[in-house]
PDB file of all heavy atoms in Angstrom:
ATOM      1  N   PHE A1170     239.087 203.457 177.796  1.00 95.00           N
ATOM      2  CA  PHE A1170     239.461 204.420 176.729  1.00 95.00           C
ATOM      3  C   PHE A1170     240.320 205.508 177.367  1.00 95.00           C
ATOM      4  O   PHE A1170     239.884 206.413 178.099  1.00 95.00           O
ATOM      5  CB  PHE A1170     238.213 205.037 176.058  1.00 95.00           C
ATOM      6  CG  PHE A1170     238.558 205.759 174.896  1.00 95.00           C
ATOM      7  CD1 PHE A1170     239.331 205.339 173.853  1.00 95.00           C
ATOM      8  CD2 PHE A1170     238.002 207.120 174.726  1.00 95.00           C
ATOM      9  CE1 PHE A1170     239.547 206.047 172.652  1.00 95.00           C
ATOM     10  CE2 PHE A1170     238.200 207.823 173.589  1.00 95.00           C
ATOM     11  CZ  PHE A1170     239.014 207.299 172.539  1.00 95.00           C
ATOM     12  N   GLU A1171     241.667 205.415 177.074  1.00 97.00           N
ATOM     13  CA  GLU A1171     242.560 206.290 177.693  1.00 97.00           C
ATOM     14  C   GLU A1171     243.692 206.730 176.570  1.00 97.00           C
ATOM     15  O   GLU A1171     243.825 206.132 175.649  1.00 97.00           O
ATOM     16  CB  GLU A1171     243.321 205.616 178.822  1.00 97.00           C
ATOM     17  CG  GLU A1171     242.430 205.080 179.932  1.00 97.00           C
ATOM     18  CD  GLU A1171     243.157 204.381 180.952  1.00 97.00           C
ATOM     19  OE1 GLU A1171     243.425 203.075 180.721  1.00 97.00           O
ATOM     20  OE2 GLU A1171     243.547 204.910 182.046  1.00 97.00           O
ATOM     21  N   GLY A1172     244.333 207.830 176.988  1.00 97.00           N
ATOM     22  CA  GLY A1172     245.395 208.326 176.156  1.00 97.00           C
ATOM     23  C   GLY A1172     244.994 208.927 174.844  1.00 97.00           C
ATOM     24  O   GLY A1172     245.798 209.004 173.929  1.00 97.00           O
ATOM     25  N   PHE A1173     243.738 209.374 174.772  1.00 97.00           N
ATOM     26  CA  PHE A1173     243.295 209.933 173.424  1.00 97.00           C
ATOM     27  C   PHE A1173     243.685 211.409 173.270  1.00 97.00           C
ATOM     28  O   PHE A1173     243.991 212.056 174.220  1.00 97.00           O
ATOM     29  CB  PHE A1173     241.807 209.737 173.385  1.00 97.00           C
ATOM     30  CG  PHE A1173     240.976 210.241 174.412  1.00 97.00           C
ATOM     31  CD1 PHE A1173     240.683 211.511 174.704  1.00 97.00           C
ATOM     32  CD2 PHE A1173     240.598 209.224 175.429  1.00 97.00           C
ATOM     33  CE1 PHE A1173     239.935 211.848 175.868  1.00 97.00           C
ATOM     34  CE2 PHE A1173     239.791 209.613 176.630  1.00 97.00           C
ATOM     35  CZ  PHE A1173     239.534 210.900 176.778  1.00 97.00           C
ATOM     36  N   TYR A1174     243.612 211.850 172.076  1.00 97.00           N
ATOM     37  CA  TYR A1174     243.921 213.308 171.774  1.00 97.00           C
ATOM     38  C   TYR A1174     242.987 214.240 172.583  1.00 97.00           C
ATOM     39  O   TYR A1174     241.773 214.069 172.564  1.00 97.00           O
ATOM     40  CB  TYR A1174     243.872 213.507 170.340  1.00 97.00           C
ATOM     41  CG  TYR A1174     244.171 214.931 169.794  1.00 97.00           C
ATOM     42  CD1 TYR A1174     245.433 215.360 169.701  1.00 97.00           C
ATOM     43  CD2 TYR A1174     243.165 215.823 169.648  1.00 97.00           C
ATOM     44  CE1 TYR A1174     245.637 216.588 169.292  1.00 97.00           C
ATOM     45  CE2 TYR A1174     243.379 217.167 169.261  1.00 97.00           C
ATOM     46  CZ  TYR A1174     244.634 217.604 169.146  1.00 97.00           C
ATOM     47  OH  TYR A1174     244.975 218.800 168.762  1.00 97.00           O
ATOM     48  N   LYS A1175     243.488 215.373 173.046  1.00 97.00           N
ATOM     49  CA  LYS A1175     242.743 216.356 173.824  1.00 97.00           C
ATOM     50  C   LYS A1175     243.097 217.681 173.370  1.00 97.00           C
ATOM     51  O   LYS A1175     244.220 218.053 172.982  1.00 97.00           O
ATOM     52  CB  LYS A1175     243.037 216.188 175.358  1.00 97.00           C
ATOM     53  CG  LYS A1175     242.821 214.762 175.946  1.00 97.00           C
ATOM     54  CD  LYS A1175     243.186 214.742 177.405  1.00 97.00           C
ATOM     55  CE  LYS A1175     243.025 213.355 177.981  1.00 97.00           C
ATOM     56  NZ  LYS A1175     244.087 212.413 177.436  1.00 97.00           N
ATOM     57  N   ASN A1176     242.057 218.478 173.361  1.00 97.00           N
ATOM     58  CA  ASN A1176     242.214 219.941 173.057  1.00 97.00           C
ATOM     59  C   ASN A1176     241.146 220.731 173.934  1.00 97.00           C
ATOM     60  O   ASN A1176     240.574 220.204 174.796  1.00 97.00           O
ATOM     61  CB  ASN A1176     242.172 220.347 171.665  1.00 97.00           C
ATOM     62  CG  ASN A1176     240.849 220.016 170.972  1.00 97.00           C
ATOM     63  OD1 ASN A1176     239.797 219.779 171.686  1.00 97.00           O
ATOM     64  ND2 ASN A1176     240.656 220.039 169.709  1.00 97.00           N
ATOM     65  N   GLU A1177     240.927 222.002 173.576  1.00 97.00           N
ATOM     66  CA  GLU A1177     240.090 222.881 174.381  1.00 97.00           C
ATOM     67  C   GLU A1177     238.603 222.399 174.262  1.00 97.00           C
ATOM     68  O   GLU A1177     237.729 222.831 175.203  1.00 97.00           O
ATOM     69  CB  GLU A1177     240.191 224.322 173.943  1.00 97.00           C
ATOM     70  CG  GLU A1177     239.615 224.608 172.513  1.00 97.00           C
ATOM     71  CD  GLU A1177     240.694 224.424 171.476  1.00 97.00           C
ATOM     72  OE1 GLU A1177     241.716 223.723 171.677  1.00 97.00           O
ATOM     73  OE2 GLU A1177     240.501 224.970 170.374  1.00 97.00           O
ATOM     74  N   HIS A1178     238.341 221.609 173.312  1.00 96.00           N
ATOM     75  CA  HIS A1178     236.886 220.970 173.154  1.00 96.00           C
ATOM     76  C   HIS A1178     236.712 219.691 173.862  1.00 96.00           C
ATOM     77  O   HIS A1178     235.538 219.147 173.851  1.00 96.00           O
ATOM     78  CB  HIS A1178     236.506 220.942 171.687  1.00 96.00           C
ATOM     79  CG  HIS A1178     236.646 222.230 170.906  1.00 96.00           C
ATOM     80  ND1 HIS A1178     235.916 223.250 171.206  1.00 96.00           N
ATOM     81  CD2 HIS A1178     237.506 222.520 169.926  1.00 96.00           C
ATOM     82  CE1 HIS A1178     236.288 224.305 170.465  1.00 96.00           C
ATOM     83  NE2 HIS A1178     237.231 223.907 169.561  1.00 96.00           N
ATOM     84  N   THR A1179     237.737 219.131 174.436  1.00 96.00           N
ATOM     85  CA  THR A1179     237.631 217.800 174.952  1.00 96.00           C
ATOM     86  C   THR A1179     237.062 217.857 176.429  1.00 96.00           C
ATOM     87  O   THR A1179     237.574 218.628 177.332  1.00 96.00           O
ATOM     88  CB  THR A1179     238.992 217.100 175.088  1.00 96.00           C
ATOM     89  OG1 THR A1179     239.496 217.108 173.857  1.00 96.00           O
ATOM     90  CG2 THR A1179     238.797 215.682 175.628  1.00 96.00           C
ATOM     91  N   THR A1180     235.984 217.246 176.671  1.00 94.00           N
ATOM     92  CA  THR A1180     235.371 217.097 177.930  1.00 94.00           C
ATOM     93  C   THR A1180     235.250 215.633 178.536  1.00 94.00           C
ATOM     94  O   THR A1180     234.905 215.423 179.672  1.00 94.00           O
ATOM     95  CB  THR A1180     233.976 217.671 178.038  1.00 94.00           C
ATOM     96  OG1 THR A1180     233.157 217.030 177.047  1.00 94.00           O
ATOM     97  CG2 THR A1180     233.894 219.202 177.690  1.00 94.00           C
ATOM     98  N   LEU A1181     235.531 214.699 177.681  1.00 92.00           N
ATOM     99  CA  LEU A1181     235.339 213.292 177.957  1.00 92.00           C
ATOM    100  C   LEU A1181     236.546 212.961 179.007  1.00 92.00           C
ATOM    101  O   LEU A1181     237.712 213.088 178.643  1.00 92.00           O
ATOM    102  CB  LEU A1181     235.422 212.396 176.733  1.00 92.00           C
ATOM    103  CG  LEU A1181     235.208 210.949 176.953  1.00 92.00           C
ATOM    104  CD1 LEU A1181     233.809 210.595 177.309  1.00 92.00           C
ATOM    105  CD2 LEU A1181     235.612 210.188 175.668  1.00 92.00           C
ATOM    106  N   PRO A1182     236.158 212.285 180.107  1.00 93.00           N
ATOM    107  CA  PRO A1182     237.241 211.863 181.012  1.00 93.00           C
ATOM    108  C   PRO A1182     237.841 210.485 180.529  1.00 93.00           C
ATOM    109  O   PRO A1182     237.145 209.804 179.904  1.00 93.00           O
ATOM    110  CB  PRO A1182     236.549 211.735 182.307  1.00 93.00           C
ATOM    111  CG  PRO A1182     235.073 211.358 181.901  1.00 93.00           C
ATOM    112  CD  PRO A1182     234.812 212.128 180.744  1.00 93.00           C
ATOM    113  N   GLU A1183     239.078 210.270 180.916  1.00 95.00           N
ATOM    114  CA  GLU A1183     239.660 208.951 180.624  1.00 95.00           C
ATOM    115  C   GLU A1183     239.072 207.924 181.545  1.00 95.00           C
ATOM    116  O   GLU A1183     238.686 208.252 182.683  1.00 95.00           O
ATOM    117  CB  GLU A1183     241.117 208.930 180.786  1.00 95.00           C
ATOM    118  CG  GLU A1183     241.920 209.903 179.834  1.00 95.00           C
ATOM    119  CD  GLU A1183     243.415 209.608 179.776  1.00 95.00           C
ATOM    120  OE1 GLU A1183     243.871 208.818 180.667  1.00 95.00           O
ATOM    121  OE2 GLU A1183     244.050 210.181 178.868  1.00 95.00           O
ATOM    122  N   ARG A1184     238.880 206.663 180.880  1.00 92.00           N
ATOM    123  CA  ARG A1184     238.270 205.643 181.688  1.00 92.00           C
ATOM    124  C   ARG A1184     239.105 204.353 181.506  1.00 92.00           C
ATOM    125  O   ARG A1184     239.355 204.034 180.425  1.00 92.00           O
ATOM    126  CB  ARG A1184     236.736 205.379 181.324  1.00 92.00           C
ATOM    127  CG  ARG A1184     235.889 206.533 181.662  1.00 92.00           C
ATOM    128  CD  ARG A1184     234.517 206.288 181.216  1.00 92.00           C
ATOM    129  NE  ARG A1184     233.562 207.361 181.523  1.00 92.00           N
ATOM    130  CZ  ARG A1184     232.277 207.404 181.113  1.00 92.00           C
ATOM    131  NH1 ARG A1184     231.779 206.334 180.425  1.00 92.00           N
ATOM    132  NH2 ARG A1184     231.512 208.443 181.407  1.00 92.00           N
ATOM    133  N   HIS A1185     239.457 203.746 182.607  1.00 93.00           N
ATOM    134  CA  HIS A1185     240.139 202.422 182.452  1.00 93.00           C
ATOM    135  C   HIS A1185     239.221 201.267 182.797  1.00 93.00           C
ATOM    136  O   HIS A1185     239.569 200.047 182.549  1.00 93.00           O
ATOM    137  CB  HIS A1185     241.292 202.356 183.459  1.00 93.00           C
ATOM    138  CG  HIS A1185     240.860 202.327 184.889  1.00 93.00           C
ATOM    139  ND1 HIS A1185     240.619 203.522 185.658  1.00 93.00           N
ATOM    140  CD2 HIS A1185     240.734 201.293 185.750  1.00 93.00           C
ATOM    141  CE1 HIS A1185     240.276 203.184 186.851  1.00 93.00           C
ATOM    142  NE2 HIS A1185     240.257 201.874 187.008  1.00 93.00           N
ATOM    143  N   ASP A1186     237.972 201.514 183.189  1.00 93.00           N
ATOM    144  CA  ASP A1186     236.950 200.498 183.379  1.00 93.00           C
ATOM    145  C   ASP A1186     235.567 200.994 183.003  1.00 93.00           C
ATOM    146  O   ASP A1186     235.065 201.847 183.705  1.00 93.00           O
ATOM    147  CB  ASP A1186     237.047 200.009 184.900  1.00 93.00           C
ATOM    148  CG  ASP A1186     236.119 198.801 185.123  1.00 93.00           C
ATOM    149  OD1 ASP A1186     235.732 198.182 184.168  1.00 93.00           O
ATOM    150  OD2 ASP A1186     235.956 198.410 186.359  1.00 93.00           O
ATOM    151  N   ARG A1187     235.059 200.437 182.078  1.00 92.00           N
ATOM    152  CA  ARG A1187     233.801 200.879 181.497  1.00 92.00           C
ATOM    153  C   ARG A1187     233.082 199.762 180.875  1.00 92.00           C
ATOM    154  O   ARG A1187     233.590 198.589 180.603  1.00 92.00           O
ATOM    155  CB  ARG A1187     233.958 201.949 180.436  1.00 92.00           C
ATOM    156  CG  ARG A1187     234.628 201.468 179.204  1.00 92.00           C
ATOM    157  CD  ARG A1187     234.584 202.538 178.048  1.00 92.00           C
ATOM    158  NE  ARG A1187     235.270 201.971 176.786  1.00 92.00           N
ATOM    159  CZ  ARG A1187     235.293 202.703 175.673  1.00 92.00           C
ATOM    160  NH1 ARG A1187     234.764 203.819 175.531  1.00 92.00           N
ATOM    161  NH2 ARG A1187     235.941 202.051 174.653  1.00 92.00           N
ATOM    162  N   ILE A1188     231.707 199.969 180.641  1.00 94.00           N
ATOM    163  CA  ILE A1188     230.895 198.941 179.918  1.00 94.00           C
ATOM    164  C   ILE A1188     231.210 199.112 178.484  1.00 94.00           C
ATOM    165  O   ILE A1188     231.189 200.251 177.917  1.00 94.00           O
ATOM    166  CB  ILE A1188     229.453 199.160 180.183  1.00 94.00           C
ATOM    167  CG1 ILE A1188     229.170 198.657 181.680  1.00 94.00           C
ATOM    168  CG2 ILE A1188     228.510 198.446 179.200  1.00 94.00           C
ATOM    169  CD1 ILE A1188     227.622 198.897 182.043  1.00 94.00           C
ATOM    170  N   LEU A1189     231.412 198.020 177.725  1.00 95.00           N
ATOM    171  CA  LEU A1189     231.539 198.060 176.264  1.00 95.00           C
ATOM    172  C   LEU A1189     230.294 197.397 175.736  1.00 95.00           C
ATOM    173  O   LEU A1189     230.085 196.180 175.936  1.00 95.00           O
ATOM    174  CB  LEU A1189     232.833 197.417 175.832  1.00 95.00           C
ATOM    175  CG  LEU A1189     233.268 197.614 174.347  1.00 95.00           C
ATOM    176  CD1 LEU A1189     234.754 197.317 174.199  1.00 95.00           C
ATOM    177  CD2 LEU A1189     232.548 196.671 173.392  1.00 95.00           C
ATOM    178  N   CYS A1190     229.491 198.100 175.030  1.00 95.00           N
ATOM    179  CA  CYS A1190     228.291 197.715 174.486  1.00 95.00           C
ATOM    180  C   CYS A1190     228.072 198.178 173.100  1.00 95.00           C
ATOM    181  O   CYS A1190     228.380 199.437 172.855  1.00 95.00           O
ATOM    182  CB  CYS A1190     227.175 198.066 175.424  1.00 95.00           C
ATOM    183  SG  CYS A1190     225.486 197.567 174.862  1.00 95.00           S
ATOM    184  N   GLY A1191     227.557 197.381 172.228  1.00 94.00           N
ATOM    185  CA  GLY A1191     227.293 197.870 170.883  1.00 94.00           C
ATOM    186  C   GLY A1191     226.479 196.859 170.082  1.00 94.00           C
ATOM    187  O   GLY A1191     226.206 195.793 170.360  1.00 94.00           O
ATOM    188  N   GLU A1192     225.971 197.378 168.862  1.00 96.00           N
ATOM    189  CA  GLU A1192     225.241 196.527 167.889  1.00 96.00           C
ATOM    190  C   GLU A1192     226.182 196.392 166.705  1.00 96.00           C
ATOM    191  O   GLU A1192     226.680 197.279 166.090  1.00 96.00           O
ATOM    192  CB  GLU A1192     223.936 197.292 167.543  1.00 96.00           C
ATOM    193  CG  GLU A1192     223.053 196.497 166.603  1.00 96.00           C
ATOM    194  CD  GLU A1192     221.738 197.093 166.252  1.00 96.00           C
ATOM    195  OE1 GLU A1192     220.928 197.059 167.171  1.00 96.00           O
ATOM    196  OE2 GLU A1192     221.596 197.751 165.248  1.00 96.00           O
ATOM    197  N   LEU A1193     226.477 195.145 166.338  1.00 97.00           N
ATOM    198  CA  LEU A1193     227.489 194.895 165.426  1.00 97.00           C
ATOM    199  C   LEU A1193     226.838 194.340 164.073  1.00 97.00           C
ATOM    200  O   LEU A1193     225.883 193.608 164.005  1.00 97.00           O
ATOM    201  CB  LEU A1193     228.343 193.655 165.994  1.00 97.00           C
ATOM    202  CG  LEU A1193     229.518 193.263 165.038  1.00 97.00           C
ATOM    203  CD1 LEU A1193     230.757 193.025 165.898  1.00 97.00           C
ATOM    204  CD2 LEU A1193     229.155 191.972 164.362  1.00 97.00           C
TER     205      LEU A1193
END
């Protein structure tokens, strides 16, 4: 998850390698 919108409230770092997990 990279290249997302950022402002003064953004603390999430960009990641190019992460676990993708969810309930569908």
Side-chain angles (χ1 to χ4, degrees):
F1170 188 50
E1171 302 174 276
F1173 48 84
Y1174 178 84
K1175 303 177 184 69
N1176 64 10
E1177 67 273 18
H1178 303 297
T1179 303
T1180 59
L1181 183 71
E1183 293 195 356
R1184 295 179 180 176
H1185 67 276
D1186 187 12
R1187 64 173 181 174
I1188 289 176
L1189 193 155
C1190 178
E1192 185 174 280
L1193 183 136

